[in-house]
Amino acid sequence: MTQLFFSDYDVSEALPPLVIFGAGGLGREVLVLLQQLNEAQPTWLLRGFYDDHAPDTPTVGGLPYLGTAADLNATTEPLAVAVAVGSSASRAAVVARLTSVQLIFPSIVHPAVALGPGQRISLGAGCIIQQGCILTCDISLGRFVLLNLGCTVGHDAELADFCSLMPHANVSGAARLGRGVYLGTNATVIQGVQVGENTVVGAGAVVVRDLPANVTAVGVPAKPM
């Protein structure tokens, strides 16, 4: 894993190109995030959107629709990609299809989110952390983790690859989320609890004890359906 969210590009020269995969609502929100990042410090040259399902219009949020995953794999230049797909399983499937060696997946963090060296926060490739998120210290995020608006992650928490936290989800200290866990809006995982891989926690649910893999849990306290 790499520390913080800085890409391998030297942005002191020409800005590196970046595209967004996912032309839906989350893709447009990620475009706003990238625009706010560029306003704080010019970082990316935003090229446009890719999606396997063409949008109804030729542009999305003012940027052109450029094609499908197959078109993106055909690129002949180094190209950064933000994978803006909300579902954990769908995001993993998209990443598995993006096989070109020319593609890189930087982590993208809103400029108002504090991630300093003293916090000892580790991010894998391709993470997206939206505005209003709070991460404290000694936290590990795997590859392609999504933290939507206003999420919190406490000390010593571990979120494995492809975890997805919807707006205002909360992960308390020393909690462990397995690969592909999805927390709905306002869901909470209390301190020290483990959630098995690919488990979905419904909106507003409160996880107070360990959950197994591959279940959907709802309620207060959260119980598998």
Side-chain angles (χ1 to χ4, degrees):
M1 290 189 177
T2 55
Q3 290 292 325
L4 304 182
F5 57 92
F6 302 105
S7 77
D8 293 330
Y9 286 118
D10 179 2
V11 297
S12 64
E13 300 176 357
L15 293 181
L18 181 145
V19 299
I20 300 170
F21 191 97
L26 180 59
R28 287 180 277 118
E29 289 179 342
V30 170
L31 172 59
V32 172
L33 164 58
L34 288 161
Q35 290 168 334
Q36 291 170 334
L37 191 61
N38 277 345
E39 288 171 4
Q41 177 179 337
T43 306
W44 301 106
L45 175 63
L46 305 178
R47 286 271 185 86
F49 286 85
Y50 287 83
D51 197 305
D52 286 332
H53 302 284
D56 294 332
T57 59
T59 62
V60 179
L63 293 180
Y65 169 70
L66 300 172
T68 65
D71 298 316
L72 184 52
N73 280 328
T75 183
T76 58
E77 63 172 333
L79 192 60
V81 184
V83 182
V85 177
S87 161
S88 296
S90 298
R91 189 161 67 257
V94 167
V95 171
R97 294 201 304 274
L98 298 180
T99 56
S100 171
V101 297
Q102 298 282 26
L103 303 179
I104 69 164
F105 301 93
S107 284
I108 299 168
V109 179
H110 191 276
V113 175
L115 292 183
Q119 294 172 267
R120 298 173 300 281
I121 295 172
S122 176
L123 302 188
C127 292
I128 295 174
I129 301 180
Q130 279 279 20
Q131 186 173 12
C133 291
I134 299 173
L135 295 83
T136 60
C137 62
D138 301 296
I139 293 166
S140 175
L141 304 186
R143 299 168 62 246
F144 299 98
V145 170
L146 169 64
L147 303 185
N148 216 311
L149 297 166
C151 295
T152 66
V153 182
H155 64 87
D156 300 294
E158 295 182 7
L159 282 62
D161 297 348
F162 298 104
C163 284
S164 303
L165 276 59
M166 295 300 104
H168 301 287
N170 303 287
V171 176
S172 298
R176 304 286 187 271
L177 306 187
R179 187 183 193 275
V181 166
Y182 180 99
L183 302 185
T185 299
N186 284 319
T188 296
V189 178
I190 71 165
Q191 184 164 341
V193 168
Q194 298 188 34
V195 180
E197 66 179 17
N198 302 318
T199 282
V200 175
V201 178
V206 179
V207 182
V208 300
R209 57 182 61 90
D210 293 354
L211 290 174
N214 303 304
V215 300
T216 296
V218 298
V220 181
K223 297 179 181 179
M225 295 175 62

